[in-house]
Amino acid sequence: MEHDVATLLSRHSEALALFTERVHAVRADQWDEPTPCTDWSVRDLVNHLTAEQLWVPDLVTDGSTIADIGDAYEGDVLGARPRSAWDAAARGARKAFGKPGALERTVWLSYGETPAVAYCAQMTTDAVVHAWDLSRAIGAPERLPAALVNFALEEVTPYASELSKSGLFAPPIEPPPGDSHQTRLLALLGRRA
């Protein structure tokens, strides 16, 4: 899928800002609450997204491979200050993708060489969908910004049916007829709005 770089970077920043807003809304007594992601607590979900952001500078800026990085970001990356850990990781990812020429590079992901522009689009979509997961878990507003929903829906539609084969995503479900883009996006990723 072709991406306009300026629009992609804008959507990426908006998605990170949305997730940041939700992370900062987590109350002290909510970190162990369940999320729509099976087996993940709120802390597990935030930890997952934080670890994903930590990979970006290594992969995009430094040209490292998964093998080079090894297990550096496995386990708990949040420590005693989860909000601060998320904020720092999100800043690092935004900065790495935003560097001149960064999106013209190729990165080496678990499934092979990938254009950095595609990696950024995937990371944007992941942040959008997990912002909904986090919203549902903590009782925050679940309505996502239309521009982010439309971006994520366009991004994930071509390969959504393949995602459940990885074991990391629930199989797609049938959305209610005539429902919103957000409901369709969530259904593609096995979630009921």
Side-chain angles (χ1 to χ4, degrees):
M1 171 175 177
E2 284 296 312
H3 291 288
D4 168 64
V5 169
T7 301
L8 175 57
L9 289 174
S10 178
R11 294 294 170 266
H12 179 255
S13 289
E14 291 163 15
L16 290 182
L18 177 64
F19 196 80
T20 298
E21 186 180 290
R22 295 303 186 265
V23 170
H24 284 265
V26 177
R27 295 188 320 260
D29 63 343
Q30 291 181 312
W31 289 101
D32 292 326
E33 291 294 312
T35 70
C37 302
T38 308
D39 299 331
W40 276 359
S41 67
V42 167
R43 184 178 175 93
D44 295 332
L45 176 62
V46 174
N47 189 72
H48 165 71
L49 259 287
T50 302
E52 280 197 342
Q53 306 317 308
L54 291 172
W55 283 90
V56 176
D58 291 339
L59 296 172
V60 175
T61 306
D62 300 340
S64 300
T65 65
I66 301 285
D68 293 337
I69 300 163
D71 62 1
Y73 305 125
E74 288 184 18
D76 178 35
V77 296
L78 296 179
R81 300 180 63 212
R83 289 180 192 85
S84 297
W86 161 258
D87 291 346
R91 266 193 313 274
R94 190 179 301 110
K95 183 177 174 185
F97 279 131
K99 285 187 176 174
L103 294 180
E104 296 164 17
R105 297 183 181 139
T106 297
V107 295
W108 284 265
L109 303 179
S110 58
Y111 50 86
E113 290 184 51
T114 304
V117 69
Y119 177 42
C120 185
Q122 292 164 17
M123 293 287 283
T124 302
T125 297
D126 204 42
V128 171
V129 174
H130 284 316
W132 180 84
D133 293 329
L134 188 52
S135 297
R136 170 137 306 178
I138 66 171
E142 294 179 18
R143 175 62 48 201
L144 302 171
L148 289 176
V149 169
N150 292 336
F151 175 91
L153 187 58
E154 189 176 328
E155 171 63 25
V156 80
T157 296
Y159 57 82
S161 62
E162 299 296 309
L163 291 175
S164 64
K165 294 177 185 172
S166 71
L168 300 174
F169 296 87
I173 58 174
E174 190 64 36
D179 220 320
S180 70
H181 286 180
Q182 178 170 316
T183 302
R184 282 204 304 279
L185 171 66
L186 296 171
L188 276 173
L189 298 170
R191 293 158 167 85
R192 291 194 190 281

